[in-house]
């Protein structure tokens, strides 16, 4: 608990984020269960509102935002650039403590009565009208925000200053590019939301007139400030995942990522444009039509870098050697979900379609596909990829692949019906819908899917934990992967990461251009763990 | 196979207005794009993954790891499609955000947790609104507490209802029937209870319904009358007389005109009048001291709407109050209205004149 080793802090994060994920998932399950009936019989409306608020707050601020950066980023970022640790190891530990403190405060606020304003805390509902524990909860989120700022700061400094000799910017793995872009967003965006949350607290406690018209404030101002952070935050959630996918695709196709520079720049491009499109959450919020036009244009343009990435990942497999390991199965799962999530973005970016869809389950489905499908598939894929590096043990491939399949199927069953629900006009956050019985069939499908999805999310906890006890030793490079962390470090790595100073001479993903099949067989014929596919 | 089972799996709500059709068209266009790209990527990934699976004997000579042509294609095609989609949806959106000049106006007040609606002749409804078919219906909306969203799924119409400012939304119903009215913005405990109905009637039925005082047959005071009552009770006329006095500027004829303020000018629209009542110190008419008391917290949104209606009635051309300021442009024609019962036009006329009398009395007392 007092360690300054980035690898141990990553494990601390892994445990704490998993715990929060369980809590958030439990809340989600209860919400889904309640919606199977149009009359809402299990909970009162107030309890229901507190449940979905808890689900959103826990999942967004304590699972998806810190997820990949804090767990995988902390663990592999220094290893991947040949550094001995992060630039500020004590700051790294502090950021974990802030995370835990924030989580404890937020959970306390739930125990003391809960929060019913949703995770978006729109004013003046949150600042004047809600009688729940909002002040305490916002205080906790403020803490968590600082944890995120410190992590971002640490990563930026580390990437700038601690790369191994010879590791130029365009030799960096794409995961590092993605983490770098993410960290910039965290550094620039999080302070804005932190200040906004403080303003809400001030309005609640001292009646500062900032957001409530009764006090002379502007209710829409909050939305601008909130989405100025929270839209880029979506990219905090998805960019690291994209980085993970780039690593995985390259490794299991034995190819350099197709159009490396374009993928690297698309990360920075997404981060940059991501800051300019917050207004698409506010098309109908009474901002001017001109604002809507500009935001709509920029929003639809942001589809382009995402499309570039998707096509480049696909093309990476061209003339490669695709190995269907567990992480690669997650890549396919990610691609499927990201595709649906990404392609449903333009519905909400195009103002005319958004007018009907905003505030409905269509939005819920869309952002779950991106934020949960994208981010959690990437997190699980990355976790399975680097698990042997983190703990030196192999897990059961059978359970790994089965889980990926269960998660994929469960996910689609849960969220696809919600697109239809949204188009049918079911607003999100509705506790009951007795006036529209035709919505019930999709809600039941969704809840059934959520059950499958829940099982899928629970499985890794068992077989990954089991692998620690009776898993086969992984060896330093079980996948035959390229990259400093695989080629120069033990599994699990030494406290100081490397026995020697790493000097980089090769381009990234230098999986030798495979000239013909015989050479390929010689080079990659016998990885330590054998799979049915490689009976060569 | 019995296809009737499909009726249990509806995909979209009815199209009850013109824009529903165009909005759905845009929806299907994006769906077409989405399905196309999804198919391309799925086929591409599936094909490449299977052909180049480990151990297969596929030809792997001369691999490429980048291609400018392909990259520009990957960038170019989505950009063009995105720009086209943007351009189309924007045009349609602007069309439906430009408020029509004709048609009827209905006031919407959102409160935790109900929709309160007011017709211009004073008929009030809760969680239900009656409107005529084939007529532009403009909703002028304000919230009394938190932000709500006035959502009419069958009309593909939605807009936020914000405290402290008026927002507008218009629809043109194209068929009669009963449709849903929802609140799509989380507004507190009974958010899901904030649902109601939009009843679209034929023009004739609507005119009769309106003239007969709505569902309740309880003919409420019309907004001008109600506004006059508040005007009197708050003694507004003691400063705002029919002509400018040293204490305050006259409000006769100001509505819709630019006002010279201490810091620039502002058109006296509903928002201006509302703000001037609640927080008068913010916009002082040139040449006056900020002596007017603020009415924030003393008037509910309904009262303010009535006051605005009254002030509006003082601004109609000719003799102030002589013309009905709020006569609904009755779709069935005036005959329909005057033919049945106490009609709104007459009532408004009467009250307008009465209001003016009072107004002048107030002025002469000084």
């Amino acid at each position: 608990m007092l360690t300054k080793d980035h690898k141990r802090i990553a494990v601390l994060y892994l445990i704490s984020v998993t715990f929060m994920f369980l809590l958030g998932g439990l809340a989600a399950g209860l919400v889904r269960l309640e919606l199977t009936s149009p009359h809402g019989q299990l909970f009162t409306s107030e309890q229901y509102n507190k449940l979905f608020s808890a689900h959103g707050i826990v999942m967004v601020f304590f699972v998806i935002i810190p997820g990949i950066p804090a767990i995988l980023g902390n663990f592999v970022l220094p290893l991947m650039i040949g550094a001995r640790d992060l630039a500020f190891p004590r700051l790294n530990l502090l950021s974990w403590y802030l995370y835990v403190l924030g989580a404890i405060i937020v959970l306390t606020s739930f125990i003391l009565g809960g929060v019913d304003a949703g995770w978006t805390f729109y004013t003046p509902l949150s600042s004047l009208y809600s009688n729940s524990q909002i002040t305490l909860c916002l205080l906790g989120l403020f803490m968590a925000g600082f944890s995120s700022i410190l992590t971002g700061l640490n990563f930026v400094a580390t990437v700038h200053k601690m790369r191994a000799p010879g590791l130029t910017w365009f030799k960096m793995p794409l995961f590092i590019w993605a983490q770098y872009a993410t960290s910039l967003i965290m550094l620039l965006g999080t302070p804005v939301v932190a200040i906004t949350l403080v303003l809400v607290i001030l309005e609640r406690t001292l009646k500062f007139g900032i957001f409530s018209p009764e006090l002379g404030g502007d209710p829409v101002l909050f939305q601008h400030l909130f989405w100025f952070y929270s839209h880029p935050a979506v990219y905090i959630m998805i960019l690291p995942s994209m980085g993970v996918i780039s690593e995985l695709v390259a490794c299991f196709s034995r190819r350099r990522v197709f159009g490396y520079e374009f993928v690297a720049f698309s990360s920075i491009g997404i981060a940059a444009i991501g800051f300019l499109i917050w207004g698409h959450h506010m098309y109908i919020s009474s901002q001017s039509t001109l604002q809507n036009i500009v935001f709509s244009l920029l929003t639809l343009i942001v589809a382009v870098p995402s499309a570039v990435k998707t096509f480049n990942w696909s093309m990476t497999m061209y003339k490669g050697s695709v190995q269907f390991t567990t992480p690669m199965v997650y890549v396919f799962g990610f691609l499927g979900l990201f595709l649906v999530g990404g392609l449903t973005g333009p519905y909400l970016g195009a103002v005319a379609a958004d007018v009907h869809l905003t505030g409905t389950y269509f939005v819920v489905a869309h952002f779950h596909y991106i934020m949960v499908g994208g981010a959690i598939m990437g997190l699980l894929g990355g976790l399975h990829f680097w698990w042997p590096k983190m703990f030196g043990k192999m897990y059961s491939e059978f359970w790994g692949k089965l889980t990926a399949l269960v998660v994929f199927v469960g996910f689609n069953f849960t969220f696809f019906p919600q697109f239809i629900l949204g188009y049918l006009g079911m607003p999100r956050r509705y506790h009951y819908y007795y006036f529209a019985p035709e919505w019930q069939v999709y809600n039941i499908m969704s809840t059934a899917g959520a059950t499958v999805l829940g099982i899928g999310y629970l499985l890794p906890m068992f077989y990954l934990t089991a692998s620690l006890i009776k898993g086969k030793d992984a060896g330093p490079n079980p996948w035959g992967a390229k990259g400093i962390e695989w080629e120069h470090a033990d599994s699990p790595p030494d406290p100081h990461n490397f026995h020697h100073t790493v000097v980089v001479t090769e381009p990234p993903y230098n999986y030798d251009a495979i000239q013909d099949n015989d050479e390929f067989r010689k080079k990659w014929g016998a990885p330590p763990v054998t799979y049915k596919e490689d009976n060569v | 196979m019995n296809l009737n089972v499909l009726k249990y799996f509806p995909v979209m709500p009815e199209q009850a207005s013109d824009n529903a059709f165009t909005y759905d068209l845009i929806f299907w266009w994006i769906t077409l794009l989405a399905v196309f790209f999804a198919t391309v990527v799925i086929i591409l990934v599936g094909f490449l993954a299977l052909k180049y699976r480990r151990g297969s004997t596929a030809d792997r000579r001369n691999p490429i790891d980048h291609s400018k042509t392909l990259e520009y294609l990957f960038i170019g095609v989505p950009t063009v499609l995105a720009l086209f989609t943007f351009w189309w949806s924007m045009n349609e959106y602007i069309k439906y955000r430009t408020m029509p000049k004709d048609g009827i106006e209905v006031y919407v007040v959102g409160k935790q947790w109900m929709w309160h609606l007011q017709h211009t002749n004073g008929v009030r409804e809760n969680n239900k609104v009656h409107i005529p078919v084939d007529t532009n219906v403009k909703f002028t909306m304000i919230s009394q507490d938190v932000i709500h969203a006035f959502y009419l799924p069958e009309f593909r119409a939605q807009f936020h209802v914000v405290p402290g400012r008026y927002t507008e939304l218009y629809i043109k119903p194209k068929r009669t029937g009963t449709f849903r009215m929802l609140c799509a913005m989380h507004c507190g405990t009974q958010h899901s209870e904030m649902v109601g109905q939009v009843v679209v009637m034929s023009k004739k039925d609507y005119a009769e319904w309106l003239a007969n005082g709505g569902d309740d047959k309880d003919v409420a005071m019309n907004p001008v009358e109600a506004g006059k009552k508040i005007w009197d009770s708050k003694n507004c006329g003691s400063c705002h007389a029919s002509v400018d006095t040293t204490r305050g500027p006259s409000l006769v004829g100001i509505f819709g005109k630019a006002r010279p303020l201490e810091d620039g000018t502002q058109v006296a629209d509903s928002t201006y009048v509302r703000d001037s009542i609640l927080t008068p110190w913010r916009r002082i008419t040139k040449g006056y001291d900020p002596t007017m008391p603020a009415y924030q917290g003393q008037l509910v949104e309904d009262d303010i709407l009535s006051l605005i209606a009254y002030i509006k009635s003082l601004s109609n051309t000719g003799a102030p109050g002589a013309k009905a300021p709020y006569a609904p442009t009755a779709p069935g024609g005036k005959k329909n209205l005057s033919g049945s019962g106490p009609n709104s036009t007459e009532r408004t006329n009467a009250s307008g004149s009465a209001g003016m009398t009072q107004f002048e009395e107030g002025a002469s007392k000084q």
Side-chain angles (χ1 to χ4, degrees):
Chain A
M1 300 286 267
L2 289 171
T3 179
K4 291 184 283 294
D5 181 357
H6 67 96
K7 300 181 287 296
R8 286 164 179 268
I9 295 173
V11 175
L12 288 177
Y13 265 117
L14 176 63
I15 296 165
S16 36
V17 170
T18 308
F19 175 71
M20 294 305 272
F21 190 56
L22 281 175
L23 289 184
L26 183 70
L30 293 175
V31 165
R32 283 295 354 148
L33 195 62
E34 177 76 338
L35 287 173
T36 50
S37 144
H39 299 283
Q41 285 149 335
L42 287 176
F43 303 106
T44 64
S45 289
E46 203 173 335
Q47 288 167 336
Y48 178 82
N49 293 347
K50 286 174 179 174
L51 269 179
F52 75 65
S53 301
H55 165 67
I57 291 164
V58 166
M59 287 302 205
V60 169
F61 294 104
F62 293 96
V63 178
I64 311 177
I65 287 182
I68 296 183
I71 301 172
L72 297 176
N74 248 327
F75 198 95
V76 299
L77 185 128
L79 285 167
M80 285 176 102
I81 62 170
R84 292 197 175 276
D85 203 327
L86 286 168
F88 309 112
R90 284 184 184 83
L91 211 57
N92 196 22
L93 183 66
L94 177 64
S95 78
W96 180 73
Y97 272 103
L98 282 175
Y99 171 90
V100 172
L101 192 62
I104 290 173
I105 296 177
V106 167
L107 293 179
T108 311
S109 77
F110 293 160
I111 292 165
L112 289 181
V115 167
D116 67 353
W119 79 274
T120 52
F121 295 103
Y122 270 22
T123 53
L125 175 64
S126 65
S127 63
L128 283 190
Y129 287 88
S130 172
N131 288 321
S132 51
Q133 293 290 332
I134 286 188
T135 310
L136 197 58
C137 183
L138 291 179
L139 207 63
L141 296 181
F142 185 75
M143 298 274 176
F146 268 90
S147 160
S148 166
I149 295 171
L150 295 184
T151 304
L153 180 75
N154 223 336
F155 284 2
V156 170
T158 309
V159 171
H160 271 278
K161 287 291 174 195
M162 310 216 7
R163 278 172 286 139
L167 186 66
T168 59
W169 283 90
F170 285 99
K171 282 184 183 168
M172 286 198 317
L174 288 164
F175 180 66
I176 305 296
W177 272 105
Q179 280 297 347
Y180 181 71
T182 309
S183 304
L184 288 179
I185 302 178
M186 285 176 164
L187 264 180
L188 297 172
T190 318
V192 178
V193 80
I195 293 164
T196 312
L197 299 182
V198 172
L199 292 178
V200 175
I201 294 176
L202 288 178
E203 182 158 297
R204 271 186 85 78
T205 51
L206 302 174
K207 304 288 174 221
F208 276 31
I210 299 157
F211 302 121
S212 302
E214 291 105 294
L215 305 174
D218 178 1
V220 184
L221 176 66
F222 174 85
Q223 296 178 34
H224 281 294
L225 293 171
F226 179 81
W227 289 116
F228 181 78
Y229 163 77
S230 295
H231 192 77
V234 172
Y235 299 108
I236 297 181
M237 305 171 202
I238 188 72
L239 272 173
S241 192
M242 291 169 156
V244 170
I245 298 304
S246 299
E247 297 297 315
L248 267 50
V249 167
C251 173
F252 296 106
S253 305
R254 300 283 178 236
R255 299 281 302 126
R256 188 172 192 236
V257 173
F258 189 86
Y260 167 91
E261 286 85 1
F262 281 90
V263 178
F265 277 124
S266 67
S267 286
I268 302 293
I270 289 177
I273 306 177
F275 266 109
L276 303 175
I277 58 177
W278 78 89
H280 69 214
H281 295 268
M282 302 167 59
Y283 284 154
I284 59 161
S285 72
S286 80
Q287 71 183 4
S288 77
T289 304
L290 180 66
Q291 273 173 304
N292 287 341
I293 293 174
V294 176
F295 282 126
S296 174
L297 180 64
L298 290 166
T299 302
L300 287 167
I301 289 300
V302 91
V304 177
S306 310
V308 168
K309 277 183 191 279
T310 310
F311 282 120
N312 281 319
W313 289 324
S314 314
M315 284 304 291
T316 302
M317 288 184 281
Y318 179 63
K319 299 217 171 184
S321 170
V322 181
Q323 190 181 13
F324 296 95
T325 57
T326 304
M328 193 63 184
V329 176
Y330 275 104
V331 170
F332 292 128
F334 170 90
L335 280 177
L337 301 184
F338 181 69
L339 205 59
V340 180
L343 289 169
T344 48
Y347 292 100
L348 304 172
V351 196
D354 185 66
V355 165
H356 174 57
L357 295 173
T358 190
T360 69
Y361 262 90
F362 194 94
V363 177
V364 175
H366 164 72
F367 75 69
H368 275 88
Y369 264 94
I370 291 282
M371 284 159 51
V372 184
I376 301 289
M377 283 308 240
L379 177 62
L380 285 174
L383 196 62
H384 284 86
F385 181 54
W386 281 299
W387 187 264
K389 178 56 57 183
M390 293 172 89
F391 299 102
K393 297 286 185 184
M394 291 306 291
Y395 46 83
S396 153
E397 275 288 308
F398 168 77
W399 283 105
K401 287 180 200 171
L402 182 75
T403 303
L405 188 71
V406 170
V407 168
F408 184 77
V409 171
F411 192 93
N412 280 301
F413 249 92
T414 309
F415 294 106
F416 204 84
Q418 295 184 5
F419 283 121
I420 305 170
L421 270 180
Y423 209 72
L424 283 173
M426 177 170 178
R428 62 195 288 203
R429 296 170 170 170
Y430 261 29
H431 177 206
Y432 34 66
Y433 46 94
Y434 53 82
F435 45 86
E438 73 270 24
W439 294 343
Q440 191 180 10
V441 59
Y442 295 112
N443 274 304
I444 289 177
M445 281 164 76
S446 185
T447 304
T451 315
V452 177
L453 185 61
I455 293 170
Y457 281 148
L458 284 174
L459 283 175
M461 284 177 214
F462 296 110
Y463 67 77
L464 286 181
T465 314
S467 80
L468 294 179
I469 302 156
K470 51 172 198 165
K472 275 188 282 183
D473 279 340
N477 193 357
W479 312 115
K482 282 282 178 180
I484 295 172
E485 83 272 32
W486 299 109
E487 293 174 305
H488 296 278
D490 296 337
S491 302
D494 212 60
H496 293 291
N497 292 355
F498 306 103
H499 300 296
H500 53 274
T501 307
V502 182
V503 179
V504 181
T505 51
E506 295 183 318
Y509 312 112
N510 195 18
Y511 291 104
D512 281 349
I514 296 157
Q515 286 303 327
D516 67 41
N517 297 334
D518 287 339
E519 242 179 75
F520 154 74
R521 289 204 178 91
K522 251 182 269 163
K523 194 161 172 78
W524 300 115
V529 182
T530 50
Y531 304 98
K532 273 186 189 157
E533 290 90 350
D534 348 311
N535 42 3
V536 280
Chain B
M1 198 188 128
N2 186 1
L3 282 175
N4 273 344
V5 73
L6 286 179
K7 81 176 178 214
Y8 298 110
F9 296 93
V11 226
M12 53 174 38
E14 276 179 80
Q15 298 175 338
S17 65
D18 290 339
N19 65 322
F21 177 74
T22 41
Y23 280 21
D24 283 351
L25 209 59
I26 292 172
F27 180 87
W28 289 115
W29 157 252
I30 301 175
T31 306
L32 186 75
L33 291 185
V35 170
F36 171 75
F37 278 108
T39 315
V40 167
V41 173
I42 289 168
I43 290 176
L44 188 69
V45 170
F47 172 76
L48 291 174
L50 286 178
K51 178 157 185 203
Y52 296 106
R53 71 188 180 279
R54 177 158 304 185
S56 81
T57 52
D59 180 7
R60 293 184 172 89
R61 280 171 299 181
N62 306 322
I64 47 163
D65 62 7
H66 66 280
S67 151
K68 282 275 153 63
T69 322
L70 272 183
E71 296 292 352
Y72 290 132
L73 203 65
F74 293 163
I75 295 175
V77 173
T79 307
V80 170
L81 290 172
L83 286 178
F84 173 73
T85 309
F86 159 74
W87 174 81
W88 185 17
S89 111
M90 207 65 243
N91 273 329
E92 292 301 332
Y93 176 74
I94 290 173
K95 199 159 125 196
Y96 292 106
R97 285 304 302 164
T98 311
M99 293 302 135
K101 295 267 182 285
D102 60 336
I104 65 164
E105 188 175 12
V106 178
Y107 280 98
V108 179
V109 179
K111 1 182 151 176
Q112 282 178 324
W113 290 275
M114 61 176 280
W115 292 113
H116 176 73
L117 296 108
Q118 252 174 268
H119 293 264
T120 44
N121 75 336
V123 170
R124 291 158 186 242
E125 301 182 79
N126 286 332
N127 289 335
K128 200 176 210 186
V129 64
H130 290 73
I131 50 175
V133 75
D134 287 327
T135 310
N136 288 318
V137 181
K138 184 174 109 178
F139 295 100
T140 298
M141 311 179 286
I142 195 159
S143 165
Q144 199 163 293
D145 34 54
V146 302
I147 297 175
H148 303 277
F150 191 64
Y151 180 33
L152 311 173
E154 279 87 359
F155 300 90
R156 310 289 186 272
Q158 185 182 176
F159 214 77
H160 280 186
V161 179
V162 183
R165 72 173 66 155
Y166 292 99
T167 56
E168 291 174 332
L169 171 78
Y170 96 90
I171 58 172
K172 188 171 185 180
K174 68 172 184 185
R175 67 172 62 154
T176 54
T178 303
F179 307 99
R180 281 168 298 176
M181 173 200 294
L182 306 171
C183 174
M185 165 61 79
H186 178 60
C187 58
T189 310
Q190 289 178 54
H191 170 49
S192 341
E193 274 295 297
M194 210 164 150
V195 295
Q197 290 174 324
V198 179
V199 183
V200 181
M201 310 166 92
S202 72
K203 290 182 180 183
K204 185 171 166 289
D205 290 349
Y206 170 73
E208 271 172 24
W209 176 88
L210 193 68
N212 287 326
D215 281 352
D216 298 341
K217 308 280 182 257
D218 169 26
V219 183
M221 234 187 291
N222 75 43
V224 178
E225 282 172 338
K228 194 204 69 129
K229 213 172 151 194
I230 299 160
W231 176 276
D232 293 342
S233 71
K234 300 283 178 196
N235 228 352
C236 307
S238 66
C239 298
H240 299 289
S242 59
V243 290
D244 290 351
T245 66
T246 49
R247 292 210 276 170
S250 161
L251 303 185
V252 177
I254 67 153
F255 205 89
K257 308 256 168 57
R259 300 287 294 155
L261 301 184
E262 288 293 334
D263 49 350
T265 57
Q266 201 174 351
V267 173
D269 55 7
S270 301
T271 306
Y272 168 86
V273 175
R274 181 177 187 282
D275 290 346
S276 299
I277 295 169
L278 296 180
T279 53
W281 66 86
R282 291 192 182 184
R283 32 190 77 63
I284 304 298
T285 304
K286 220 177 198 120
Y288 289 92
D289 294 328
T291 49
M292 171 159 164
Y295 287 90
Q296 195 155 46
Q298 301 188 39
L299 297 166
V300 295
E301 294 298 339
D302 296 8
D303 294 346
I304 301 167
L305 283 176
S306 305
L307 269 174
I308 291 172
Y310 177 64
I311 290 167
K312 221 173 180 176
S313 79
L314 300 177
S315 300
N316 282 285
T317 49
K323 189 177 166 244
Y326 266 91
T329 35
K334 265 197 166 168
K335 271 178 193 166
N336 249 328
L337 277 174
S338 48
S340 56
N343 91 48
S344 58
T345 315
E346 282 167 12
R347 281 210 313 272
T348 314
N349 268 338
S351 72
S353 316
M356 202 55 229
T357 318
Q358 194 67 36
F359 189 81
E360 279 161 349
E361 274 170 17
S364 62
K365 269 179 203 161
Q366 290 180 23

